[in-house]
Every structure is written in C-alpha cells, then in structure tokens.
Amino acid sequence: MGIVLAPARKLRASLGSDKIKEYDAPVGCIAINPAGVDSSLAWLATRKNVVVAIPPEVLSELAVHEFDNADVELEPPAFGTVDLLALDMAQRMSAELTEKAAPNDLYLDSLVTLFGIHLLRTYTSRRKHAVSPKGGLSANSARRVRDHLNENFTQKVHVAELASVAGISTNHFIVRFARTFGIPPHQYLINLRLDFAEKLLVEGKLPIAEVAYLSGFSDQSHLATTMKRYRGKTPTELRFAK
C-alpha cells in the first residue's frame, strides 16, 4: 500500500492489466497492490509517500480474527481515492521513522497492525464497520502481559506476541491493553525501560552507554533523547542530580 504525503501530479499507473491511467494524487491518496498482481507506476517529479508492505500470511491471520475466514480478497480502490484514516497512520509512521532517535519498534508494529485491520475492513469483499471491544483485558490476561513485559522489556516485542500472551486476537489487543493500563503498549514498554535506566543511573556504577544497552535502547543518544522527552531530564542530569 502506498499513501501520498504530498500532492503528486500526472502519475501514470496500471494494476492487473496493461491499461495505463493518468491521474493527480492529492494528499491522503491510497494505492493498494495485492500480492501477485502486476502493477506499474511512473512519475515526473519527486514523490513523498509511505509504503507499507504486509505479508499475505500476516494479513490472512488478521482476517481470521476479523472475519473467521482467512480467504479474503483485496479490492483496490480507484486511482486517486483519498483515505484520511490511512493518511493519519502513514503520517505517524513517517514521523517515527524520521526522528533522530531510533524508532520504537513496538509502536511501528502497532501502527502496521492497525493499518492491516483498516485494510481488511475497508478494501475487501467482507468489509464491515469497525466494532470496538467493550472492555479491557481480564485480570489474568493483564497479569500475563504485565509479567511478560517485565521479563522481556529490553528485547524487541511485537503486538502479535503480546496478544498471544493475553489470549486474545491481535485485532483487539491494542485497544484493550490501553483501556486496562491507561496507555498504549509501546508507551508502557518505554516506561519500563526508562524506570530501569533511571535505577541504574542513580546507582552510578555503570557508564551511561552501558546503561542504555542494558535498558533496551539502541545507544546512549537514543536513551538521552527518550529520557528527555518523557522524563524531562537527560541521563547525565539525572545521574548528578542531588
């Protein structure tokens, strides 16, 4: 799927045939290319867009939870179609990927999962209106997820993994997690990493670069940027605070 972030004029595209269509693509214009379908796209000027690729098996798994059937067929919209919800998710992905700090993998995974669900609900023959889950996680599910995150917060964690631990579908996990813990999964994970980093920094026994590594951050700069953003202090300021 491609989502246009800046207007593009006179695109020439084909999908599933040799017929070429020329069109102007406004901001939010979405193009969907199902797996195994030949396509072409030509343009005259620099384009700014986000491309999201979801493996067919992942989309099928989401479809099982959404429709109780993995056999769904994508129905690409007409060239030039604007999708504002897809645009919002694409802009969030772009912002996360272009920040100076390393991107939050769980946050990106959450956005891609939500994008896949939106794709199924909007551009398949089985499309339906979104039905939000009524409540949060059960007490047992919440405990299992909390314990799993406490044990693995320094590692890469994926939405599907957490949903499996909770025993619910990936489709509903993000909303139900937020209703239970008050924040989305990626932010909960950031807090765990920052809490651990703060503990090590206050103890003062390890170099800041090693604290960053042990806390699950890609490097010292990533820790500093994240800590400043969410806690209002840099690691150095925290270490020497009285």
Side-chain angles (χ1 to χ4, degrees):
M1 295 77 65
I3 306 92
V4 175
L5 299 184
R9 297 193 62 224
K10 295 185 176 181
L11 297 180
R12 292 174 56 82
S14 68
L15 180 64
S17 73
D18 295 329
K19 184 178 180 180
I20 301 293
K21 178 177 175 58
E22 184 175 286
Y23 68 101
D24 293 335
V27 172
C29 179
I30 185 170
I32 298 174
N33 191 168
V37 176
D38 291 333
S39 66
S40 68
L41 180 63
W43 57 95
L44 299 175
T46 301
R47 295 164 53 228
K48 183 179 180 182
N49 60 290
V50 167
V51 176
V52 181
I54 301 179
E57 60 272 19
V58 174
L59 206 58
S60 293
E61 185 178 344
L62 288 176
V64 170
H65 293 301
E66 193 67 23
F67 308 125
D68 293 323
N69 191 330
D71 187 20
V72 295
E73 199 168 319
L74 289 173
E75 297 180 347
F79 291 125
T81 297
V82 172
D83 185 327
L84 295 180
L85 182 54
L87 172 63
D88 177 69
M89 288 185 276
Q91 288 172 330
R92 292 172 187 268
M93 292 177 195
S94 177
E96 186 67 16
L97 289 167
T98 54
E99 280 193 355
K100 290 184 179 180
N104 184 303
D105 292 326
L106 184 56
Y107 181 45
L108 288 173
D109 190 40
S110 298
L111 287 171
V112 172
T113 300
L114 292 172
F115 200 102
I117 295 167
H118 173 63
L119 195 71
L120 291 170
R121 290 176 173 174
T122 311
Y123 302 108
T124 68
S125 56
R126 296 176 178 270
R127 55 184 173 266
K128 65 180 184 180
H129 295 295
V131 178
S132 298
K134 294 181 180 180
L137 300 173
S138 69
N140 286 335
S141 292
R143 175 184 53 77
R144 290 197 301 270
V145 170
R146 183 171 56 247
D147 290 348
H148 185 79
L149 285 170
N150 286 338
E151 293 172 4
N152 299 281
F153 68 89
T154 63
Q155 309 299 318
K156 282 190 176 182
V157 181
H158 299 283
V159 174
E161 172 188 344
L162 295 176
S164 177
V165 171
I168 64 174
S169 73
T170 307
N171 305 40
H172 291 161
F173 174 77
I174 298 170
V175 173
R176 293 180 67 173
F177 182 100
R179 287 182 177 174
T180 300
F181 293 100
I183 52 177
H186 75 276
Q187 192 171 333
Y188 189 96
L189 185 67
I190 288 174
N191 285 337
L192 287 177
R193 290 175 175 174
L194 288 176
D195 287 344
F196 187 66
E198 286 188 9
K199 176 178 177 295
L200 295 179
L201 289 168
V202 170
E203 290 175 354
K205 298 178 181 178
L206 299 172
I208 294 177
E210 189 169 350
V211 169
Y213 172 76
L214 293 174
S215 303
F217 295 94
S218 58
D219 53 33
Q220 182 173 333
S221 176
H222 185 199
L223 169 62
T225 302
T226 306
M227 185 168 283
K228 184 68 174 180
R229 177 179 178 182
Y230 288 97
R231 301 292 167 91
K233 292 183 178 181
T234 66
T236 302
E237 290 170 341
L238 182 67
R239 166 157 283 180
F240 295 105
K242 295 182 179 179

